[in-house]
Amino acid sequence: MQNMTNQLKTIKIMNVNFINATKDIFLKNHIYPSLMNEHKQFIVTANPEIVMKARENEQYEQAIHSADYVVPDGAGILMAAKYMKLPLQERIAGYDLMLDLLEFVNDKGLSCFFLGAKEEVNEKAVLEVEKRFPNINIAGRHHGFFKLDDQELVEKVQNANADIVFVALGLPRQELWIARHSEQFQKGIFMGVGGSLDVLAGEVNRAPEIWIKLNLEWLYRLLKQPFRLKRILKVFEFMVRIVFRKS
């Protein structure tokens, strides 16, 4: 994919280069022009869990390094950067980034493909997009239950020729899928969006605004979804490694 990270300042945290820009500048100066010029790009919205997974899995690390942009999604990333005296300008939440992209695509009459989540969740999310963003061309959709090397699925996405492909397979599958098949696409913004389709579909509620502003969205999710405890522990391990500068 076209690598344009040299146009943005980056900060390296545990061998992952994060862009250091506001969401508005990132979108207006880099992503929106890429969309209009049909450039192909890969965006990773990375939190501490993704950074830790990249540290533990070489294949996944290579997938992250192949991205054109890694944006700081997660309070832990901002805390780590601040502790390292390399402060990031702001958190760029993946869900917010997706909504801004949908608004832009709606304004320009462009197209999107929605890949991932359960079939019923995917369907509900797309129906919600159609309701909220009526000018978007839904190029296609597909649930997230498939093998990463399913070539028929790749061809389906290819034939859709979408301007944006939102990939909601969770880590590490979404980044691995994009990295593995990127060379088979001619254009498109490819972005891993984790559980964002569940939020769009109304299956999961996002944290109230005050929790988000206080960088406590992770705590809200833990209280609502106790099964996330193992994932939260990875965040604490990440911070310990930052503090003690462990590899």
Side-chain angles (χ1 to χ4, degrees):
M1 295 188 182
Q2 181 174 346
N3 198 321
M4 298 177 66
T5 49
N6 61 337
Q7 296 183 20
L8 278 171
K9 290 182 179 180
T10 61
I11 289 175
K12 181 173 285 190
I13 300 175
M14 212 179 288
N15 205 33
V16 175
N17 288 311
F18 287 87
I19 65 166
N20 190 12
T22 65
K23 176 164 63 74
D24 286 347
I25 287 175
F26 174 53
L27 287 169
K28 292 176 183 176
N29 293 357
H30 299 273
I31 303 306
Y32 294 160
S34 293
L35 271 169
M36 299 311 296
N37 291 307
E38 296 192 346
H39 291 159
K40 180 174 62 172
Q41 294 186 323
F42 173 15
I43 302 172
V44 173
T45 60
N47 56 20
E49 190 181 1
I50 283 179
V51 174
M52 290 298 293
K53 188 68 176 180
R55 175 188 166 275
E56 296 162 357
N57 185 301
E58 183 178 355
Q59 184 184 22
Y60 189 60
E61 182 181 44
Q62 290 174 355
I64 299 300
H65 287 171
S66 74
D68 295 285
Y69 303 102
V70 180
V71 303
D73 180 0
I77 299 298
L78 269 68
M79 291 170 61
K82 186 175 182 180
Y83 183 84
M84 296 166 64
K85 299 189 179 350
L86 298 168
L88 289 159
Q89 293 187 47
E90 70 177 24
R91 177 193 175 202
I92 302 177
Y95 185 74
D96 295 335
L97 193 59
M98 182 181 73
L99 290 183
D100 284 349
L101 287 169
L102 288 171
E103 286 185 12
F104 183 82
V105 170
N106 186 65
D107 289 342
K108 302 298 181 181
L110 301 178
S111 61
C112 294
F113 192 104
F114 296 85
L115 177 63
K118 297 177 182 177
E119 170 62 24
E120 59 270 24
V121 171
N122 185 295
E123 183 179 17
K124 285 176 68 175
V126 170
L127 287 173
E128 181 65 18
V129 169
E130 289 177 328
K131 183 171 71 175
R132 291 168 59 176
F133 307 98
N135 294 325
I136 288 180
N137 174 13
I138 305 297
R141 66 174 192 85
H142 195 281
H143 62 73
F145 294 86
F146 58 86
K147 293 182 179 179
L148 290 182
D149 58 358
D150 185 335
Q151 190 57 36
E152 283 189 22
L153 188 278
V154 174
E155 291 173 3
K156 179 177 181 178
V157 181
Q158 276 180 321
N159 293 335
N161 199 35
D163 295 295
I164 300 181
V165 180
F166 292 112
V167 186
L169 303 178
L171 75 92
R173 293 184 75 236
Q174 59 194 24
E175 288 80 24
L176 290 173
W177 186 87
I178 296 170
R180 184 174 299 184
H181 302 294
S182 64
E183 294 304 316
Q184 297 179 255
F185 299 97
Q186 297 302 311
K187 72 165 192 178
I189 303 294
F190 290 78
M191 175 176 155
V193 295
S196 292
L197 295 192
D198 295 85
V199 179
L200 261 182
E203 298 292 311
V204 174
N205 292 324
R206 199 176 180 200
E209 191 66 27
I210 185 64
W211 291 69
I212 296 172
K213 287 183 178 179
L214 292 173
N215 286 325
L216 292 174
E217 191 170 6
W218 63 272
L219 179 58
Y220 180 86
R221 288 179 180 176
L222 178 60
L223 293 172
K224 293 292 185 180
Q225 300 171 312
F227 63 83
R228 296 175 64 92
L229 178 60
K230 185 177 180 181
R231 298 174 62 177
I232 297 299
L233 291 176
K234 275 294 177 187
V235 177
F236 286 110
E237 182 184 348
F238 166 82
M239 291 306 303
V240 168
R241 290 185 176 277
I242 291 294
V243 170
F244 292 99
R245 293 298 198 278
K246 295 182 178 181
S247 59

Coordinates of all heavy atoms in Angstrom, one line a residue, residues 9-11 13 18-21 72 77-79 81-82 86-91:
K9 N 4.3 13.3 11.7 CA 5.2 13.0 12.7 C 4.7 11.7 13.4 O 3.5 11.5 13.6 CB 5.3 14.1 13.7 CG 6.0 15.4 13.2 CD 6.1 16.4 14.2 CE 6.9 17.6 13.7 NZ 7.0 18.7 14.7
T10 N 5.6 10.9 13.8 CA 5.3 9.7 14.5 C 6.0 9.5 15.9 O 7.1 10.1 16.0 CB 5.5 8.4 13.7 OG1 6.9 8.3 13.4 CG2 4.7 8.4 12.4
I11 N 5.5 8.8 16.8 CA 6.1 8.5 18.0 C 6.1 7.0 18.2 O 5.1 6.3 18.0 CB 5.3 9.1 19.2 CG1 5.6 10.7 19.2 CG2 5.8 8.6 20.5 CD1 4.8 11.4 20.2
I13 N 6.2 3.7 20.2 CA 5.9 3.1 21.5 C 6.0 1.6 21.4 O 5.2 1.0 20.7 CB 4.5 3.5 22.0 CG1 4.5 5.0 22.1 CG2 4.2 2.8 23.4 CD1 3.1 5.5 22.5
F18 N 3.2 5.4 16.1 CA 1.9 6.0 16.1 C 2.0 7.4 15.5 O 2.9 8.2 15.8 CB 1.4 6.2 17.6 CG 1.0 4.9 18.2 CD1 2.0 4.1 18.9 CD2 -0.3 4.5 18.2 CE1 1.6 2.9 19.4 CE2 -0.7 3.3 18.8 CZ 0.2 2.5 19.4
I19 N 1.0 7.8 14.7 CA 0.9 9.1 14.2 C 0.7 10.1 15.3 O 0.0 9.8 16.3 CB -0.1 9.3 13.1 CG1 -1.6 9.1 13.7 CG2 0.1 8.4 11.9 CD1 -2.7 9.6 12.8
N20 N 1.3 11.3 15.2 CA 1.1 12.3 16.3 C 0.4 13.5 15.6 O 1.0 14.4 15.1 CB 2.4 12.7 16.9 CG 2.2 13.6 18.1 OD1 1.1 13.7 18.6 ND2 3.3 14.2 18.6
A21 N -0.9 13.4 15.6 CA -1.8 14.5 14.9 C -3.2 14.4 15.5 O -3.6 13.4 16.1 CB -1.8 14.2 13.4
P72 N -3.4 6.3 17.6 CA -3.5 6.0 19.0 C -4.9 5.9 19.5 O -5.6 6.9 19.8 CB -2.7 7.2 19.7 CG -2.9 8.3 18.7 CD -3.0 7.7 17.4
I77 N -2.2 4.2 25.6 CA -1.2 4.7 24.6 C -0.8 6.2 24.9 O 0.3 6.5 24.9 CB -1.8 4.6 23.2 CG1 -2.1 3.1 22.8 CG2 -0.8 5.2 22.2 CD1 -0.9 2.2 22.8
L78 N -1.8 7.0 25.2 CA -1.5 8.4 25.5 C -0.8 8.5 26.8 O 0.2 9.3 27.0 CB -2.8 9.2 25.6 CG -3.3 9.9 24.3 CD1 -3.7 8.8 23.3 CD2 -4.4 10.9 24.6
M79 N -1.1 7.7 27.8 CA -0.4 7.7 29.1 C 1.0 7.2 28.9 O 1.9 7.8 29.5 CB -1.1 6.7 30.1 CG -2.5 7.2 30.6 SD -3.4 6.0 31.5 CE -2.3 5.7 32.9
A81 N 2.9 7.5 26.2 CA 3.6 8.5 25.5 C 4.0 9.7 26.4 O 5.1 10.2 26.3 CB 2.7 9.0 24.3
K82 N 3.0 10.0 27.3 CA 3.3 11.1 28.2 C 4.4 10.7 29.2 O 5.2 11.5 29.5 CB 2.0 11.5 28.9 CG 2.1 12.7 29.9 CD 0.7 13.0 30.5 CE 0.8 14.3 31.4 NZ -0.5 14.6 32.0
L86 N 7.0 12.0 25.4 CA 6.7 12.1 24.0 C 5.2 12.2 23.8 O 4.6 11.4 23.1 CB 7.3 10.9 23.2 CG 8.8 10.7 23.3 CD1 9.2 9.3 22.7 CD2 9.5 11.8 22.5
P87 N 4.6 13.3 24.3 CA 3.1 13.3 24.3 C 2.5 13.4 23.0 O 3.0 14.0 22.0 CB 2.9 14.6 25.1 CG 4.1 15.5 24.9 CD 5.2 14.5 24.9
L88 N 1.4 12.6 22.8 CA 0.6 12.6 21.6 C -0.4 13.7 21.7 O -0.9 14.0 22.8 CB -0.1 11.2 21.5 CG 0.9 10.1 21.1 CD1 0.2 8.7 21.5 CD2 1.2 10.1 19.6
Q89 N -0.8 14.2 20.5 CA -1.7 15.4 20.6 C -3.1 15.0 21.1 O -3.7 15.8 21.8 CB -1.8 16.0 19.1 CG -0.5 16.6 18.7 CD -0.7 17.3 17.4 OE1 -1.6 18.1 17.2 NE2 0.2 17.1 16.5
E90 N -3.6 13.8 20.7 CA -4.9 13.4 21.2 C -5.2 11.9 20.8 O -4.5 11.3 20.0 CB -6.0 14.2 20.6 CG -6.3 14.1 19.1 CD -7.5 14.9 18.7 OE1 -7.8 15.9 19.3 OE2 -8.1 14.5 17.7
R91 N -6.1 11.4 21.6 CA -6.6 10.0 21.3 C -7.5 10.1 20.0 O -8.3 11.0 19.9 CB -7.3 9.4 22.4 CG -7.9 8.1 22.2 CD -8.9 7.7 23.2 NE -9.6 6.4 22.8 CZ -10.8 6.0 23.3 NH1 -11.4 6.8 24.1 NH2 -11.3 4.8 22.9

